[in-house]
Amino acid sequence: MHGPQPIRPIEDFTAESEPADGASHIAGDCAGLNFYEIDRGLRDLLPLYLAEDDYRHLQPHFHRLGHLAGGRLDELARIADQNPPVLHARDRFGRDEDWIDYHPAYREMESIAFGDFQFHAMSHRGGALGASGLLPAVAKYALQYLFVQAEFGLMCPISVTDTSIHLIRKFASAELRDYLLPKMLSGELATLWKGTQFMTERAGGSDVGAIETVARLEDGVWRLTGEKWFCSHADADVALLLARPEGAPPGTKGLALFALPRRLKDGRRNTYKIVRLKDKLGTRSMASGEIRLEGAVAYLVGDRERGLKQMMEQVNLSRLSHGVRAAAMMRRCVNEAMIAAQTRVAFGETIVNYPLLRRQLLKLVVPTEQALSVMLFAAGSMDQVNAGSIEAQSLVRILTPLLKFRACRDNIPVATGAMEVRGGNGYIEEWVHARLVRDAHIGVLWEGTSNINALDIVRRAVGKSGAHRILGAALKRRLDEAASLPKSFRDRLTLALERALAFAERVAAEPDAEASARLAASALYHVTSAILLAWESSQPGVDARRALLAGFVLEHRLTVRDPLAPVSGDWEREATDIVLTDQPAAAARVATLLDSQ
């Protein structure tokens, strides 16, 4: 199914036998919908970013996961959120066999993720979803995007298992790889070792160099002593963490990377304790806790003098995953808001017809589509890296923090805005909005705050790596390929790109880059997304409305505006109508509107 699909007609939400009582006045939600089939953007873009054979093979799996995400997964996620994990410190004999109990709903979601779809293994071995080889990054992240629209919390264990496998494969000794990888790559839950990373300590969150955990080499065995303060997926079978070997220098240079198994080779529990679980605002289905290491056995991974640099590969992969998760949650918010707007009547009118609400819906749609485009472009660049492209390495270097920085920030107002569209019911825990709002906030905390990611973009990706120049060249090529769009519009995009690149470079050269780092990072993200949206709209099989979304980004994020000037006139109203309708956009009409901006 590649053509446009309407979200859902209002009659679908009320059973034929239901009397016209008060319940019929309550707006519907997304329950029971196929999240793939209602996502025009994703369906249009996957053939553009996936090889034809991969797309053909994976189409049934996208449909199947879309159905699960709108159905059974959504049901399980609601239950798991209401029944968080419970920590047990001792067994009935008084032994310190600390373990965590999960609700059966969470276990069933694990079975879908790790057993059926094998998210953790699809980038590392063949066999997942019937593929003979490795699945491309675009496919993995598109599948994650669908999964997260139902369940966010479990994506943390999924992602850190995937990224832990990457680090073990790349940096561990042959002996350690042989010990861990068969377990971590298993497709059977009974034998699977799930992974995680423990970095944060009370002394060191963003300031990683302040980590206090000590590693001692005793009789050829590394033993770790210290505490980890925020450990998501606290009972993982193997955790990657940083510790400072005795005698190593202070700061980040003295940190080494270790793999910490939950159980030793003889089956005994390793000597560390889950002290308590965190009572979190969101991600309630997944266990985050505090860990006390009491001489725990661990295995050195890679070069002991390059621990942080090795760990940062996992952090950057996790940042990309966070951007994907933010894009996914925004999509769920948009779908919920559209359903509510189409099925709620107030003052004798379906509320989607009110101009103020249409403007509010547009503010939800635009950042959602921006994130989808940047997410797929970043994933496609990762596939090019895996194919040997040097240029793509620079693209991934800058796109990863850009997506993490801006999409995770946008997710918060989008979640709140979608709740507002539903009204008071959106504040009630029976509906999905409260969970979406809670979960949205973790994206600006995990794997670096907004400030940390903005500084990474400006100081390192731009200032040290010069990755912005590679990004600029790639975007200019895409503008050249979008020749069907009006020249005046492409010229405006070209000017915005040149200004954003020059501004980022100027900020990176300043002694104090912090003051303008977030502004420069946002400008790079917005111009990247605008050009991608415009280019995508010009490609065969992609709806032309994506160019209008680019126009909105250009007008409202990259152009100076008088805050007291009236709202833009005819072009914006008509463009909004086209963006919010289910009908395909006429390319000629879109071009005329863009030319009149």
Side-chain angles (χ1 to χ4, degrees):
M1 299 178 67
H2 192 60
Q5 297 292 310
I7 289 259
R8 200 176 185 186
I10 186 170
E11 57 267 21
D12 285 0
F13 293 94
T14 305
E16 294 181 2
S17 58
E18 183 181 359
D21 58 12
S24 63
H25 297 297
I26 303 298
D29 64 7
C30 288
L33 297 183
N34 186 310
F35 289 172
Y36 178 66
E37 292 181 2
I38 65 174
D39 192 340
R40 181 200 310 271
L42 181 65
R43 289 185 291 104
D44 278 2
L45 296 182
L46 282 178
L48 192 59
Y49 286 95
L50 279 174
E52 184 176 352
D53 288 346
D54 289 329
Y55 176 69
R56 188 183 306 111
H57 173 77
L58 290 167
Q59 263 278 71
H61 298 291
F62 292 133
H63 281 282
R64 183 165 65 92
L65 185 53
H67 175 72
L68 280 169
R72 183 57 177 165
L73 263 175
D74 193 45
E75 296 170 1
L76 295 170
R78 292 171 189 263
I79 296 169
D81 183 69
Q82 295 164 359
N83 296 273
V86 176
L87 173 64
H88 300 275
R90 287 185 163 189
D91 67 11
R92 64 183 182 274
F93 297 104
R95 293 175 296 210
D96 292 329
E97 290 278 348
D98 52 342
W99 76 96
I100 299 174
D101 268 339
Y102 295 88
H103 192 275
Y106 185 86
R107 293 302 192 190
E108 187 174 338
M109 290 193 296
E110 282 189 314
S111 179
I112 293 170
F114 289 102
D116 185 357
F117 283 87
Q118 299 188 25
F119 284 110
H120 65 295
M122 59 176 56
S123 291
H124 308 288
R125 63 159 171 77
L129 301 181
S132 57
L134 309 185
L135 289 180
V138 169
K140 177 175 74 173
Y141 289 122
L143 290 163
Q144 288 187 11
Y145 170 88
L146 290 169
F147 187 95
V148 171
Q149 289 180 51
E151 164 62 8
F152 176 83
L154 182 59
M155 188 48 65
C156 174
I158 293 168
S159 175
V160 286
T161 301
D162 170 27
T163 57
S164 295
I165 292 169
H166 170 76
L167 260 64
I168 296 296
R169 288 183 63 194
K170 185 168 182 179
F171 298 116
S173 66
E175 182 181 4
L176 187 57
R177 291 198 304 269
D178 290 344
Y179 174 47
L180 293 179
L181 288 181
K183 302 176 180 65
M184 299 181 76
L185 288 169
S186 174
E188 300 293 331
L189 267 67
T191 56
L192 171 65
W193 274 27
K194 297 187 286 290
T196 190
Q197 65 177 41
F198 298 160
M199 285 188 65
T200 304
E201 298 185 7
R202 280 176 286 190
S206 296
D207 184 6
V208 179
I211 281 176
E212 296 176 333
T213 298
V214 174
R216 294 182 177 88
L217 189 59
E218 300 178 359
D219 299 325
V221 176
W222 285 101
R223 293 188 176 274
L224 308 184
T225 302
E227 293 198 11
K228 297 294 181 179
W229 180 243
F230 204 106
C231 303
S232 291
H233 195 199
D235 60 340
D237 301 286
V238 58
L240 296 182
L241 67 149
L242 295 172
R244 195 179 311 280
E246 284 188 313
T252 58
K253 291 183 179 179
L255 297 175
L257 178 63
F258 293 90
L260 174 79
R262 181 159 172 78
R263 292 197 172 272
L264 303 177
K265 291 182 178 180
D266 61 8
R268 290 179 296 126
R269 273 282 282 113
N270 204 349
T271 50
Y272 70 86
K273 293 180 181 177
I274 304 172
V275 180
R276 65 170 177 168
L277 297 185
K278 300 287 193 181
D279 186 7
K280 297 173 293 181
L281 173 68
T283 62
R284 293 178 176 176
S285 64
M286 184 268 299
S288 299
E290 298 166 20
I291 303 294
R292 180 183 297 133
L293 302 160
E294 301 170 328
V297 173
Y299 301 92
L300 181 66
V301 177
D303 187 340
R304 61 181 286 179
E305 296 181 354
R306 295 170 59 85
L308 179 60
K309 187 166 186 177
Q310 294 169 166
M311 174 64 92
M312 283 306 298
E313 289 208 18
Q314 183 171 39
V315 170
N316 284 325
L317 288 169
S318 295
R319 284 176 176 172
L320 180 54
S321 178
H322 267 289
V324 173
R325 291 176 234 179
M329 285 193 285
M330 284 193 279
R331 176 67 62 192
R332 178 65 185 270
C333 290
V334 164
N335 289 342
E336 293 289 343
M338 290 296 295
I339 291 280
Q342 292 170 353
T343 60
R344 181 181 175 192
V345 175
F347 309 106
E349 182 73 65
T350 304
I351 65 172
V352 74
N353 295 323
Y354 288 114
L356 271 179
L357 187 65
R358 294 179 75 76
R359 188 168 179 79
Q360 183 171 350
L361 290 171
L362 190 67
K363 290 181 179 180
L364 309 183
V365 170
V366 171
T368 300
E369 297 291 355
Q370 285 181 271
L372 176 63
S373 292
V374 178
M375 158 195 140
L376 290 174
F377 184 45
S381 299
M382 183 175 289
D383 285 327
Q384 292 173 19
V385 170
N386 294 335
S389 170
I390 302 300
E391 177 186 275
Q393 292 179 9
S394 293
L395 290 177
V396 172
R397 175 64 187 89
I398 194 168
L399 289 168
T400 293
L402 277 177
L403 180 63
K404 165 68 165 68
F405 166 70
R406 191 68 255 172
C408 290
R409 291 191 63 76
D410 289 342
N411 191 17
I412 295 172
V414 167
T416 303
M419 174 184 282
E420 186 178 12
V421 172
R422 187 167 296 282
N425 281 335
Y427 201 66
I428 305 304
E429 291 285 351
E430 291 176 317
W431 302 81
V432 73
H433 297 281
R435 175 157 52 95
L436 290 170
V437 168
R438 292 196 307 271
D439 287 349
H441 286 77
I442 198 63
V444 297
L445 303 174
W446 278 348
E447 313 306 345
T449 62
S450 300
N451 290 343
I452 293 296
N453 279 275
L455 289 170
D456 180 51
I457 293 162
V458 172
R459 284 179 173 170
R460 297 181 181 88
V462 174
K464 290 186 177 181
S465 301
H468 63 299
R469 290 188 285 272
I470 304 299
L471 175 62
L475 294 175
K476 286 178 182 176
R477 287 196 297 272
R478 277 158 180 76
L479 276 176
D480 291 341
E481 294 171 10
S484 60
L485 296 177
K487 184 177 183 302
S488 60
F489 180 60
R490 288 185 287 120
D491 287 345
R492 289 185 65 196
L493 286 171
T494 299
L495 178 60
L497 174 61
E498 292 171 350
R499 294 187 67 216
L501 293 171
F503 179 55
E505 193 164 305
R506 188 166 66 251
V507 171
E510 294 174 355
D512 182 10
E514 289 194 22
S516 301
R518 283 162 62 136
L519 184 60
S522 289
L524 285 175
Y525 177 83
H526 290 313
V527 77
T528 296
S529 63
I531 291 173
L532 291 175
L533 285 161
W535 169 73
E536 290 161 354
S537 76
S538 70
Q539 301 305 297
V542 179
D543 196 284
R545 80 187 61 213
R546 298 193 77 76
L548 295 177
L549 296 167
F552 283 118
V553 175
L554 182 60
E555 190 73 18
H556 292 278
R557 293 290 180 264
L558 295 165
T559 302
V560 176
R561 296 173 59 85
D562 180 354
L564 300 182
V567 174
S568 299
D570 293 340
W571 92 265
E572 189 159 310
R573 283 194 295 271
E574 184 171 351
T576 300
D577 291 343
I578 293 173
V579 167
L580 296 183
T581 188
D582 289 319
Q583 300 304 311
R589 186 56 191 152
V590 167
T592 300
L593 285 171
L594 293 173
D595 210 15
S596 69
Q597 267 190 297

